[in-house]
Amino acid sequence: MTIQKRSHRLEVICAGLRRLIPAHLRFITYCFVLAGLAVAAPDAIEIKDRQQLADGLFRRNMFDLAAREYVALVDTPGAPERDVVLFRLGECYRHLKRAEEANAVYARLMKEFPDSGQVSRARLQLALTMMDAGGESLPAAAKTFEDLTSVGIPPEVRLAALYHLGETLERMQRTVDALARYRQLLDESPDSEYGMYAGLRAAWLLTQTGKPEDKRHAMGIYLDLAHKAKDVKVAEEASYFVAQVALASGHYEESANLFQVFKAKYPNSARLPASALPTAWANLYSKRFKEASDAADIALGNAQLPPASREEALYVKANALNHLEQRTEAVTFYTQLVDAFPQGRFIVSAQYERVMVLYRDGKYEEVLAASKGIVAPPAELADNLYWVNAEAAMTLKKDDLVVQNCQLIVEKCPGSPFAKDALYRLGRTLQKQEAWVAAAGWYRQVVARFPNDELAPKALYASGVCMSRIGQAEAALRDWTELLTKYPASDMTAETLYQKAMEEIRLKNHRAASATLDELLRRFPEDQRKAEIFYWRASIFRQIDETAEAEKMYHAALAATPPKEFEREIMLDLGAILLQTGRKADAANYFRQLLDAPIAEKIGVDRLAWLAEFDSSQNQYDNAIRAANTLLALPSADKGWKQTAWTLIGRAHRAKNERDPAMQAFTASLATGASTVYGTEAALCLGELLTDAGKHDEAAARLNEAAVRATPQDQLRWRALAYCGLARNAELKGDVEGALRFYMSVSILFNDPVLVPDAMAKAATLLDKQGRAAEANAMRDERKARYPDAPTPAEGAQGGTQP
């Protein structure tokens, strides 16, 4: 937390001590003067009584009455010690502010009694009168005081003259000379009351020079007086002011200790209320935050505290609470200060520190609200304030405010340590908003203004990404190439090489992409994207028809343990290459591993159908069913492909002797409404299964459907199989004529080397059963003539449903 350093001015001693010290010391002077009087015994009782009356009135400060008696005594013949009477008369007039009369009496005294001991005292009082008159009278007063400091002057007068000379020189702005007189007096008579007060004045003047050594000297004088002065008032004043000087000198801990001693030693001092605020400052600066808070409370509890001091006390209190982690309370006092003193000395600091406390407390909405009151933050605070606002706005996802505050840092605080981060954050924020061009511009400024900063390569990389997103490939490659050239050891090098290769691949610049990927592998052989790099390298080989090299790279990619999404892509592409080169089993193995993966759709409906067919041909019926079910689930599968899938599922179930699932699958195939050869197969197989189940009428319907579906020339064998199925169904139903009719149809309409000989043999057998031996023999002869190599019916087997 930044606490505004302020120069604590010592409480103006001129206002206090000039009132306190001269009056007090003049009283001392008068005591010295009166103590020097020796009243001689009068010759007459009347004179003696009058003199005693006059002296009694004088001691009681009844100067007007005393003056009457002294006038009478002065003019009374034979009155003793008239010099003393004249002096006291002059004092009466002086106290009555009758300066001209007083001066006239002093002059008469000096004229009539030039050798009197009262003359020096009279001259001292004349000088004091001139000093009080000020202005043009000061030089004459100084001259008189100077004369009274010479040898032979009574000590009590000389000390007074020396002190008041210093005071007069001060008024004449001759501070150096005044200080010299005070120090002379302090050296010559440190224990006298004039000496002690001269010490206070000397210390005060030393604090005003601005020189550190003078302040140290002043502290020494104050400390000496605080410990040794016989006058309690002087000791008290010195104790108070030494703490003030320590505070002004930056000796905060010492100041705090001295204020603590002052409070303990002088619990009833009139200075205590005034000491609360500087005590609070001293403790705050010395990191005694609890003591600072307590002292600030005392200051704030003073009803007579001036407004300016109250503002200070609120500021100290808020800061102390802030350091004590009592942040909510701190905000309360900062707010009191801001509300009560909108034009005060601490308004900006209080507003700023309140914002910082709110930020530390995570109250980001309040941070932004409180910051609005700081219209023109001072230069030393501006960048911190803007940055905190940017941070708060970023947390609140208020991107416009992030941009605004970062721009304020860049424009108003270009030398700020936050400038580079502000530029980079402008890029990041605008990139997030997909303002690609603007984002790239700010990133480029990071590079231009802070080329040697660690953010520079990151900014170049990000700029390239932005340019890539808007299709400006050349600009993207420019940024990435610059990064690789200027910052070859950057942490961004590997990522940049990778992105550069991706951009080159998108541009179909295979040669450049290959070179970039090869450099990436060479410089970063253990890069975490090693498998991906092999994958892209393989993709390039595949695109340029170097299949063998592509296959090698795909295998290398798999060996590098790629992430799942890349592993699937690799297996898909590798499967395609293997299928293309005739290695069906290996291809099927890769495709099979992808059936339950999100990438299954990329296998394609045609390859999934092929996989199901292949697995069926390999008697891997469960795998065939999985492949077909995957095909069914693809959004891209139309009714033709769905019919294919259902038929393949039915075929696999039938091969496993699972009649009911097979029939359900064939039924679903026909329900798709498609007209493919797989629909023909489904109708035929369903008819055969119904025949086996004894459902001859339903079987006949499905077999007839198969025959109708098999109308196209390329499905003639399926039509023949449908007729064979109809013949068998009729035969099992006991419809010999119907069976004979369909067997004969197969014999006449088709020329299949397997189905026709078998149908002819079955027809001959049925003719025999009908007693039509001649026709049966004729059929056998025809069979032998058309298919001489056909096995005899006993050797052959009935044809299946495969065309």
Side-chain angles (χ1 to χ4, degrees), residues 33-113:
V33 169
L34 295 177
L37 298 178
V39 182
D43 294 332
I45 296 299
E46 181 181 350
I47 295 175
K48 181 178 180 181
D49 288 344
R50 174 163 281 182
Q51 189 166 6
Q52 287 180 346
L53 172 61
D55 291 343
L57 293 170
F58 185 87
R59 285 193 297 271
R60 289 169 175 78
N61 297 328
M62 301 172 72
F63 301 115
D64 54 342
L65 297 177
R68 294 177 189 176
E69 301 303 323
Y70 285 135
V71 167
L73 284 170
V74 167
D75 293 330
T76 299
E81 298 183 335
R82 290 178 60 243
D83 58 339
V84 175
V85 173
L86 280 170
F87 178 75
R88 289 186 177 178
L89 177 58
E91 286 295 280
C92 287
Y93 288 147
R94 191 176 64 80
H95 282 293
L96 292 170
K97 308 298 183 184
R98 293 156 62 177
E100 289 185 6
E101 294 175 79
N103 291 342
V105 172
Y106 293 141
R108 179 180 173 184
L109 168 63
M110 290 184 283
K111 179 180 180 180
E112 294 182 8
F113 303 96

Side-chain angles (χ1 to χ4, degrees), residues 290 293 318 320-331 357:
K290 176 63 168 62
S293 176
L321 291 171
N322 183 11
H323 284 289
L324 289 169
E325 297 297 329
Q326 298 178 31
R327 293 194 285 272
T328 301
E329 294 83 356
V331 169
V357 173

Side-chain angles (χ1 to χ4, degrees), residues 723-749 756 758-773 775-777 779-780:
Y723 285 167
C724 289
L726 284 166
R728 179 171 172 268
N729 182 64
E731 186 177 1
L732 291 174
K733 184 180 179 183
D735 180 6
V736 176
E737 287 296 331
L740 182 58
R741 176 173 173 273
F742 282 114
Y743 282 136
M744 291 299 294
S745 296
V746 173
S747 301
I748 295 169
L749 297 175
V756 173
D758 184 67
M760 294 177 77
K762 290 184 182 302
T765 300
L766 289 177
L767 289 169
D768 281 335
K769 288 181 179 181
Q770 289 184 332
R772 300 160 65 178
E775 293 175 76
N777 289 330
M779 181 65 69
R780 292 186 178 97

Side-chain angles (χ1 to χ4, degrees), residues 31 179 202 210 259 343 364 380 404 458 463 473 494 505 567 592 637 660 666 705:
C31 290
L179 179 59
F259 275 122
Q343 304 299 323
Y364 302 121
E380 66 272 16
Q404 175 181 303
K458 293 181 180 179
S463 177
I505 289 173
E567 180 184 45
R592 201 177 293 123
D660 290 345
F666 289 136
E705 180 182 352

